Amino acid sequence: MSEHVDVPADHPRYESLLTRHRIEAGVDKGITSRQGLIAQGRGEAFDYLLGERTTPSADEAERVATAHLLLADHAVLSVNGNVAALAPRETVELAEATGADIEVNLFNRTEERMQAIVDHLREHGAGEVKGLNADARIPGLSHERGKVDSDGIHDADVVLVPLEDGDRAEALADMGKIELVVDLNPGSRSARSATVPIVDNIVRALPNMTEHARELADADEATLRGIVENFDAEKALDDAEREIRSGSFE
Ligand code: PTJ
């Protein structure tokens, strides 16, 4: 993160303060919902205990998730109001490195916020951004939060859903999709319903996945399948929980 904001660069919690600033700016710009501020606060508490770093276990999950994106027939990166505010360029870069589509998909969907996020992603280098058509539904979810694009998330075999509501994460898993979840809470229903739970901050997870994608760019299918098949989701969640429970308050 490098944008100029009024946060002293030598502050011990510089990255965390910058992340807060981004979420705040997202609310001001009509991208992030006010509930997004609460979600961010919850995430911060877990991140604090994790030491605000990517653990070796999370790094492995990020590599596995990247291999899934590279193996996919149709991968989609789902973007909500928090992700758009925190990591717009990082989302575009991961999409480019893996050939995935980007779809805006909101829990608290309004047409204004949908359009603002599409515009924001375009300002950060995105080409096509799906989500505005909303001509299909996630079965079992009522109201606006069930809307998706028929040629986007509905059609995808692999979806990356960061900071997802538990209900929707479960509904997407029920559709038989390979679900890659980024969530700092290893106990959340989203993390627990994931094929690959990534317990890491989205601001670290996405760039790290892009690095893995570049490293795996020339890997053949057998190599990618080997990476995916050896992954143990239960162990990844246990590792994260252990790190959090033994986290330092310093
Ligand atoms: O923009 P919308 O309308 O789609 O709404 C987005 C939010 C995030 C408000 C909505 O999906 C929501 O209410 O989510 P939850 O149920 O609060 O879940 C968010 C999860 O993300 C929680 O488990 C947090 O711990 C986690 N989280 C928060 N910030 C981060 C995070 N995980 C990774 N990186 C973060 N920066």
Side-chain angles (χ1 to χ4, degrees):
M1 283 191 264
S2 61
E3 74 260 48
H4 178 76
V5 291
D6 196 13
V7 176
D10 59 351
H11 193 287
R13 307 192 52 69
Y14 177 74
E15 289 294 337
S16 172
L17 293 176
L18 204 53
T19 303
R20 280 192 179 184
H21 170 84
R22 282 191 171 190
I23 283 283
E24 222 183 333
V27 174
D28 289 345
K29 205 175 168 186
I31 289 171
T32 310
S33 73
R34 282 180 299 168
Q35 286 188 19
L37 295 170
I38 300 167
Q40 171 66 21
R42 180 151 35 144
E44 273 185 16
F46 288 110
D47 206 16
Y48 189 91
L49 290 170
L50 276 171
E52 293 169 344
R53 74 199 158 97
T54 300
T55 63
S57 174
D59 180 53
E60 192 207 339
E62 284 156 13
R63 188 159 184 265
V64 170
T66 305
H68 272 298
L69 291 174
L70 293 170
L71 280 167
D73 288 330
H74 183 192
V76 176
L77 314 183
S78 178
V79 175
N80 66 18
N82 285 49
V83 176
L86 290 178
R89 196 173 306 282
E90 292 81 354
T91 301
V92 173
E93 282 171 359
L94 180 60
E96 280 171 1
T98 58
D101 281 342
I102 298 176
E103 177 164 341
V104 180
N105 192 240
L106 300 183
F107 182 73
N108 296 300
R109 184 188 177 107
T110 66
E111 289 317 307
E112 295 73 28
R113 209 147 65 80
M114 288 294 298
Q115 191 61 56
I117 294 174
V118 169
D119 294 346
H120 184 69
L121 290 169
R122 292 236 174 88
E123 282 164 26
H124 286 83
E128 191 193 2
V129 180
K130 295 185 190 293
L132 293 174
N133 287 345
D135 53 350
R137 299 200 68 93
I138 305 170
L141 282 187
S142 57
H143 305 302
E144 299 296 290
R145 68 201 173 115
K147 288 185 174 174
V148 285
D149 278 15
S150 58
D151 63 350
I153 286 176
H154 197 271
D155 173 69
D157 56 340
V158 179
V159 280
L160 176 78
V161 282
L163 286 69
E164 182 59 283
D165 162 76
D167 229 24
R168 276 209 331 188
E170 283 180 350
L172 284 168
D174 287 347
M175 287 176 84
K177 297 184 188 301
I178 292 174
E179 197 172 20
L180 318 171
V181 168
V182 183
D183 193 321
L184 279 159
N185 178 4
S188 76
R189 276 191 297 143
S190 310
R192 299 208 162 266
S193 61
T195 317
V196 183
I198 298 168
V199 184
D200 198 6
N201 198 314
I202 186 75
V203 302
R204 295 189 299 269
L206 293 182
N208 197 33
M209 289 176 71
T210 300
E211 263 188 49
H212 282 303
R214 290 180 182 147
E215 176 232 326
L216 291 171
D218 296 326
D220 58 18
E221 189 175 335
T223 306
L224 295 173
R225 295 230 171 267
I227 294 171
V228 162
E229 275 156 22
N230 287 327
F231 183 70
D232 182 344
E234 207 53 51
K235 181 176 176 303
L237 292 171
D238 288 348
D239 288 345
E241 188 176 332
R242 198 175 330 106
E243 295 274 3
I244 288 168
R245 284 188 188 278
S246 61
S248 164
F249 279 83
E250 280 172 20

